[in-house]
Amino acid sequence: MLDYKLLQALASVVECGGFERAGDLIGLSQSAISQRIKALEVRIGQPVLVRHPHLAPTPAGQRLLTHYQQVQLLERDLSGALPTLDDAAPRLRIAINADSLATWWAKTIAASCQQHGVLVDLVVEDQDVGLKRLRDGDVAACLCATPTPIAGARCQPLGDMHYHPLATPDYRQRYFPEGVTPDALAQAPAIVYGPNDQLQHRFMAQCGYQGYFPHHLCPSSEGFVQLAAAGMGYGMIPFMQARSLIENGELASIAPSQTLKVPLYWHYWRHSGELIQHLSQALGNVTLQ
Amino acid sequence: MLDYKLLQALASVVECGGFERAGDLIGLSQSAISQRIKALEVRIGQPVLVRHPHLAPTPAGQRLLTHYQQVQLLERDLSGALPTLDDAAPRLRIAINADSLATWWAKTIAASCQQHGVLVDLVVEDQDVGLKRLRDGDVAACLCATPTPIAGARCQPLGDMHYHPLATPDYRQRYFPEGVTPDALAQAPAIVYGPNDQLQHRFMAQCGYQGYFPHHLCPSSEGFVQLAAAGMGYGMIPFMQARSLIENGELASIAPSQTLKVPLYWHYWRHSGELIQHLSQALGNVTLQ
């Protein structure tokens, strides 16, 4: 059995961003905290913290933290049956795709988190990387576009996000005066989220074009919209994120008949406790359009 | 002297996300591209590409790409003097802090990028990590809050971003009915961007509180605002990002007298060519409030 006092010390150091504040939090001296971290590192035979460029858990340390959080979640369920147990706010570590986080996520889960006193620790990852984190035990749940379930985990479909190829009206007039022809697509600067982002390629394939196209790279959901709204390029943007910009005429589709649907799935471990169940229920009611 | 045909092959593969498309782009067969990549790897004695989880440059490959981009920038300046030279769209790789990217960045640089046909390749990094990328030659410029100049680089101050501690009015009423007292700060869930984010701690110190506070972690600028607007916590948000939400009453400051100023600096290599100079001029006119 693990010594959970050691894990608690690790969690406090990461939570507070320092040994002294961690000691304040759990009522120990800085040197006692330091000893517990050392004891933990001896126990597992490798470092659990790095100091540079800032204090952070190593992959092994993060794995231990997630385990500690999962045990806390289970204890919280237990304390429902045995109310005399302590009940500190549990933290749920969740991998999530950037576009969901920038749009519907918070308002969908806020009430459930508030009701059950949950804190979230969000990790922004797209697609397979998020699922790999779930498989590795680095996160308790994962929201992504991959339907493939993981053994031991549930996979709940949430519906489709709708993406439109958006640009400013000026941009559309400048680069696509005759519509999205192959020639125009080969010349017009696009915006691509990153190397994992295949939406732009899918859109081009739908338009019958394959080949080189100039593009900006912008790995930020909101930055992506800002680049499009500033007229730097066109890009595939979730309709719900651009709704107000479309309504006030700042952005418009360059090809209204061409939209892309991206299905989203919520993956979580079967035995991860009631809080995840509550969250999953809240997610069951989401509207993604 | 490096063989720039090999670098061009690498750049094309990364740009197009595949060997075949890269071949189409520069008029070579897939196997010719593959041979050039191999020759490059032999030349520098290590891999320049990884295949999994997706095709991407290794750190050494990225270093070569940035060098290639810099040479392209210099060639572009040259082609201004010798107009018969080819002038393909150059790409500027820039490290930038998330809040700038989510707010003022695109509209400030868009006209300059369009005028000079520049494509940007943005890397979201805060503070020292971005500067380290500049020092390592991984990016051509860096926008961050660190004033320390790097040898050989210029450091241009851009002014201050103003951060306010914002939450929904309901949240403020629930957790801070008597203002930001130490007791309230120890109980109210905050939102923190990540382990590098010291804004929340600075705000608490200004309020005379040091110690544990419950918090969500959300490493996304727009997600951060969404969490606050959904009532999940309060957090330090750039005024310019929250302006419309403040005006329509969705967000309000929990401590109107407590704002934080974060100065921003633009770092770039002295000899990085005219395009960076144009961009720096555009940035010189920015208003961050």
Side-chain angles (χ1 to χ4, degrees), chain A residues 102-114:
Chain A
T103 52
W104 58 271
W105 167 258
K107 51 182 174 277
T108 307
I109 60 146
S112 173
C113 287
Q114 214 165 59

Side-chain angles (χ1 to χ4, degrees), chain B residues 49-262:
Chain B
L49 286 172
V50 288
R51 267 75 176 174
H52 299 286
H54 53 81
L55 197 63
T58 60
Q62 184 56 57
R63 182 68 191 77
L64 288 171
L65 284 176
T66 307
H67 170 78
Y68 182 65
Q69 288 169 7
Q70 285 173 324
V71 173
Q72 279 187 307
L73 289 176
L74 293 173
E75 284 193 4
R76 195 181 154 86
D77 293 352
L78 182 65
S79 77
L82 303 169
T84 48
L85 283 174
D86 182 27
D87 88 0
R91 188 184 288 286
L92 278 181
R93 188 165 160 92
I94 295 167
I96 180 171
N97 68 318
D99 288 340
S100 292
L101 184 51
T103 53
W104 57 270
W105 166 257
K107 51 181 175 277
T108 307
I109 60 148
S112 173
C113 287
Q114 213 163 61
Q115 186 184 344
H116 303 288
V118 178
L119 297 172
V120 293
D121 174 0
L122 301 171
V123 182
V124 180
E125 292 287 10
D126 276 324
Q127 320 301 5
D128 301 330
V129 185
L131 265 191
K132 182 173 180 304
R133 282 186 185 261
L134 181 63
R135 204 181 298 117
D136 293 347
D138 179 29
V139 297
C142 166
L143 191 128
C144 69
T146 308
T148 323
I150 290 182
R154 288 187 199 280
C155 173
Q156 176 178 337
L158 302 181
D160 296 332
M161 275 183 94
H162 290 219
Y163 285 75
H164 294 232
L166 300 178
T168 61
D170 279 355
Y171 179 96
R172 186 175 56 176
Q173 182 53 36
R174 177 173 177 181
Y175 287 101
F176 297 104
E178 291 158 30
V180 287
T181 62
D183 277 0
L185 287 170
Q187 297 289 332
I191 311 169
V192 170
Y193 188 85
N196 258 334
D197 176 12
Q198 290 299 310
L199 281 182
Q200 196 59 39
H201 297 92
R202 277 175 58 195
F203 166 70
M204 298 225 163
Q206 279 195 6
C207 297
Y209 178 72
Q210 275 197 311
Y212 169 81
F213 57 97
H215 58 273
H216 304 283
L217 288 164
C218 180
S220 148
S221 192
E222 184 59 17
F224 197 106
V225 176
Q226 296 283 341
L227 257 62
M232 289 181 69
Y234 75 98
M236 301 305 293
I237 299 177
F239 177 72
M240 63 197 307
Q241 190 172 9
R243 190 192 308 264
S244 65
L245 292 170
I246 293 171
E247 283 170 2
N248 70 20
E250 288 186 61
L251 288 177
S253 177
I254 60 165
S257 64
Q258 303 284 4
T259 62
L260 287 176
K261 293 180 187 176
V262 174

Side-chain angles (χ1 to χ4, degrees), chain A residues 96 100-116 120 143 156 158 240 264 266 278-289, chain B residues 226-227 229-232:
Chain A
I96 180 171
S100 293
L101 184 52
T103 52
W104 58 271
W105 167 258
K107 51 182 174 277
T108 307
I109 60 146
S112 173
C113 287
Q114 214 165 59
Q115 186 184 345
H116 303 288
V120 293
L143 191 128
Q156 176 178 336
L158 302 180
M240 61 197 307
L264 290 180
W266 172 243
H278 293 309
L279 221 53
S280 303
Q281 270 174 20
L283 291 173
N285 301 322
V286 71
T287 310
L288 298 184
Q289 289 162 45
Chain B
Q226 296 283 341
L227 257 62
M232 289 181 69

